[in-house]
Amino acid sequence: MASLKDVKMKISGVGKTKQITKAMNMVSSAKLRGAQSRIERFRPYADKFHEMLQDLASKTDSNVHPLLAARPEGKSVGIILVTSDRGLCGGFNVNLISAALKLANQKKAEGKSVKFLCIGRKGRDAIRKLGFDCDQDTTDGLGDFDFTSAARAGEKVIAAFLAEELDEAYLVYAEFVNMARQVPVTLGLLPMSTPKAGERGEAAADSGTTGTVDYIYEPDVGSLLAELLPRYLKVQVYRGLLDTSASEHAARMAAMDNATRNCDDIIKSLTLLYNKTRQATITTELIDIVSGADALK
Amino acid sequence: MASSIQLDIVTPDKAVLSAQVEYVGAPGIEGEFGVLPGHAAMLSALGIGCVNYTENGRKNCAFVSGGFAEINSDKMTILAESAELSVNIDEARAREALKRAEERLKSNAAEVDVDRANAALHRAIARLQVHSSHSALSK
């Protein structure tokens, strides 16, 4: 049986762990709020962008741009995997990585080669360990990203696609559904498909401006589209980054909440053990004294 | 006809400006263009440069790079990869960026991405222009 002192030390140890998990929970909730407001600020841009692209795409023959051309005979696939930099967020990263691996294995089964581009340290480490081809240069952490990080990753993929090093590209990220649900999503990036009229952005739908206005285009529609498409890809990557970061914090909050509750449970049972041990010690001591006194009679 | 235009400048990170203005001058990719109330619907790619606008009779300007402008029924929306109001421009940083870009262009080394350095140079120059015109206006 554990001694009183051992149990006491264990209780205080678990108490300290609880403090840490509680603090991490609070930090994550603050960061989550930041991440959510970033998504909010990004939304007007993304919606407007969507609207513009739709309008342009409806007016051009959609096969004019090389980024739109599908290569069904293509042999190489690129996957952008967005994960968090740090662990302690439950199954968050594992889910993302397994979603990416599922895609990679499926493509391998089709006889295509797979190349990874990882944003976020956790994913990079896992992918490297599994021996996949992983782009060395873009191993930025997810930590402090802005639009330029997304733009860099986007440019890299576009350049590889145009140089025919990649024939398809996918983005794997965690979509932030709500506080309790973060779903790994696989999104096809390249070849691009222009948004269809049915899938309008939320703001676009309620702004009431139907796309029947005759615009003056400067320069012409084709070159505008050529400017917009690469940027649209970056917008998609950026949205993936934002969503993943919000999801990460939400996942960590949930994980730390659980951990705090588990700490409470452990402390409860340890306290029970402590009291039992204490009573047992007292009883043994009493028996000692009583039997000692008895012996003296 | 309305006597003002609703001007919105948005970047991926935030909405930089939302104001009722009387005039907008924007750096179109094929040259500068001006927008007054009642302008025809138009969609244009923007270069790197300065967006001038007149708000309540006061002239003002903002830096934009890599963007698009959409004009539709007295509403003008500028989508830019980056944009800053003239008051928010960090002059020292822009100067430094200018110096860096110049050095990179001068060095002529093989690993220098000339297009990129050129773009950086243009951005820095435009930022400084916006900044100096702001200080001239506020005097």
Side-chain angles (χ1 to χ4, degrees), chain B residues 48-52 61-65 84-102 119-137:
Chain B
I48 298 164
C50 169
V51 172
N52 301 297
C61 50
F63 163 82
V64 292
S65 110
E84 279 154 43
L85 292 187
S86 54
V87 271
N88 297 337
I89 286 176
D90 185 345
E91 194 195 352
R93 215 183 115 194
R95 279 198 192 288
E96 223 164 81
L98 179 68
K99 223 164 80 188
R100 253 199 328 265
E102 274 173 344
L121 186 73
H122 275 128
R123 275 201 299 274
I125 290 172
R127 270 208 176 87
L128 288 172
Q129 265 172 359
V130 172
H131 181 79
S132 64
S133 67
H134 168 69
S135 32
L137 284 173

Side-chain angles (χ1 to χ4, degrees), chain A residues 48 147 215-216 218 231 238, chain B residues 13 41 43-45 70 81:
Chain A
K48 198 78 205 165
F147 192 72
Y215 284 102
I216 303 170
E218 185 179 309
R231 239 164 243 170
Y238 188 58
Chain B
D13 289 319
L43 196 61
S44 169
E70 186 199 34
E81 234 162 75

Side-chain angles (χ1 to χ4, degrees), chain A residues 48-157:
Chain A
K48 198 78 205 165
F49 209 96
H50 208 74
E51 208 180 311
M52 263 191 194
L53 191 65
Q54 240 167 52
D55 178 64
L56 278 174
S58 66
K59 283 181 180 139
T60 40
D61 184 12
S62 63
N63 285 330
V64 284
H65 199 269
L67 286 180
L68 294 166
R71 298 182 198 147
E73 300 296 298
K75 280 274 166 256
S76 58
V77 179
I79 300 176
I80 302 183
L81 171 61
V82 192
T83 54
S84 74
D85 284 343
R86 265 170 251 169
L88 288 179
C89 42
F92 177 73
N93 287 316
V94 178
N95 287 345
L96 279 171
I97 292 163
S98 65
L101 286 182
K102 198 175 140 203
L103 177 70
N105 288 332
Q106 182 197 330
K107 292 290 166 193
K108 268 201 163 162
E110 288 169 21
K112 295 172 179 171
S113 70
V114 178
K115 198 170 173 180
F116 273 94
L117 195 158
C118 297
I119 303 174
R121 271 197 289 275
K122 281 281 163 189
R124 180 198 64 189
D125 293 348
I127 294 303
R128 269 199 198 150
K129 209 183 232 170
L130 288 166
F132 276 101
D133 190 1
C134 181
D135 195 335
Q136 297 293 324
D137 303 345
T138 42
T139 45
D140 318 348
L142 182 64
D144 232 358
F145 66 93
D146 52 12
F147 192 72
T148 26
S149 338
R152 226 180 7 240
E155 266 161 29
K156 207 152 204 166
V157 176

